Amino acid sequence: MTQARTAMALDEVGPSAQRIIANIERVFAGKYEVIRLGVTVLLAEGHLLIEDVPGVGKTTFAKALARSIDCSVRRIQFTPDLLPSDVTGVSIYNSETTDFEFKPGPVFANIVLGDEINRASPKTQAALLECMAERQVTVDGTRYELQSPFLVLATQNPVEMEGTYALPEAQRDRFTAKISLGYPDRTAEIAMLSDQTTSYPLDDLKVVSDAATIRSLIETVRTVHVVEAVKEYVVALADATRTSPELRLGASPRASLHLLRTAKAAAAMSGRDYVLPDDVQRLAVPVLAHRLIPATSATVAGRSPEEILAEIVSTVPIPVTSPRD
């Protein structure tokens, strides 16, 4: 059943988002911009991919976000033997009713934590495609709607590491943004050693929001105004990636949509009911880079998608707009 949605006052979006960010910072000090991007993706109705080496707190970050909002959370540990039905659910024959009953899988939750998603086979990874794009699951011809809000938080190790499968292009394209936590600075790491040798900070993390509030925030983000010039700027950025000689695969129309949605969320979190070109520009790399595939010449030259995209963004003219053109 679809949950009712009521928009929240625009001036409440920023403080509500900031409470979530500050709460996560209790276990992730010094990572404000990364945390803010994660909350932005949540309010943009997107999905977040966290890529980094083991041990830097990918799973802890995902759990901290999940625990900050009083929503249902399910964790899926992706392994090579995980089956698609282990993710979506399965129909089981009931001898008493002489009929098949659907047993929902862990994807039926508000926050789905996919841990080490690239350690599962491509077939199992593909089980998330319909869930992420259409927010539904189809099993044996029957469609089941997923809850709202619905956010897939997936962690993955770099593909150079042993036992990993590269995510297919279609899978990467469904993630709104990709972030990397990186190593903490010395002060934060020393504080972690002091805090986590006697207790586990996640156990004391308070709930600062709930599903109904998140749905209201999302509804408010939807009402943020976007002028035509900003839409044209989004498309110009995407088109520049498609025509770049350094890229074999550019940004898809879905990528353009995700970029605009996150820009609307960022604008609302800043207290504005309209999107600025600066919102789009700041989010272009985290939203677009993971979808791009460098050409062979760029790979040989050691050029990363992030580097190529940053140069593309710097060359596309920024439009001069007024809020209500």
Side-chain angles (χ1 to χ4, degrees), residues 10-24:
L10 181 68
D11 59 3
E12 296 180 30
V13 176
S16 296
Q18 189 58 43
R19 281 194 294 272
I20 299 173
I21 294 170
N23 202 49
I24 299 172

Side-chain angles (χ1 to χ4, degrees), residues 157-235:
N157 296 325
V159 293
E160 296 83 5
M161 293 195 164
E162 186 176 352
T164 60
Y165 300 84
L167 291 183
E169 289 81 359
Q171 181 76 72
R172 292 202 308 271
D173 199 39
R174 280 163 171 77
F175 282 104
T176 303
K178 187 186 81 170
I179 62 174
S180 177
L181 299 178
Y183 291 110
D185 59 39
R186 290 176 61 87
T187 302
E189 190 164 2
I190 291 171
M192 180 201 71
L193 294 178
S194 301
D195 296 339
Q196 297 194 25
T197 51
T198 57
S199 64
Y200 190 42
L202 275 176
D203 293 339
D204 300 323
L205 205 60
K206 297 178 181 178
V207 173
V208 295
S209 189
D210 56 31
T213 300
I214 297 301
R215 286 195 291 270
S216 296
L217 292 170
I218 290 172
E219 194 63 28
T220 303
V221 166
R222 287 182 170 187
T223 66
V224 172
H225 182 68
V226 186
V227 299
E228 287 300 313
V230 172
K231 296 177 185 176
E232 292 172 0
Y233 180 52
V234 170
V235 173

Side-chain angles (χ1 to χ4, degrees), residues 131-154:
C131 308
M132 295 172 67
E134 302 173 44
R135 299 174 187 271
Q136 67 179 33
V137 170
T138 303
V139 178
D140 295 334
T142 303
R143 183 173 63 88
Y144 303 92
E145 290 189 10
L146 298 174
Q147 301 178 39
S148 176
F150 175 66
L151 169 71
V152 174
L153 274 172

Side-chain angles (χ1 to χ4, degrees), residues 22 34 38 96-97 107 134 148 197 202 248 287 290:
V34 171
E96 294 182 0
T97 62
V107 78
E134 302 173 44
S148 176
T197 51
L202 275 176
R248 180 161 55 89
V287 173
H290 65 285

Side-chain angles (χ1 to χ4, degrees), residues 114-132:
D115 211 359
E116 296 186 305
I117 187 174
N118 60 336
R119 291 199 180 277
S121 67
K123 181 177 181 180
T124 301
Q125 293 176 14
L128 285 171
L129 294 181
E130 181 185 16
C131 308
M132 295 172 67

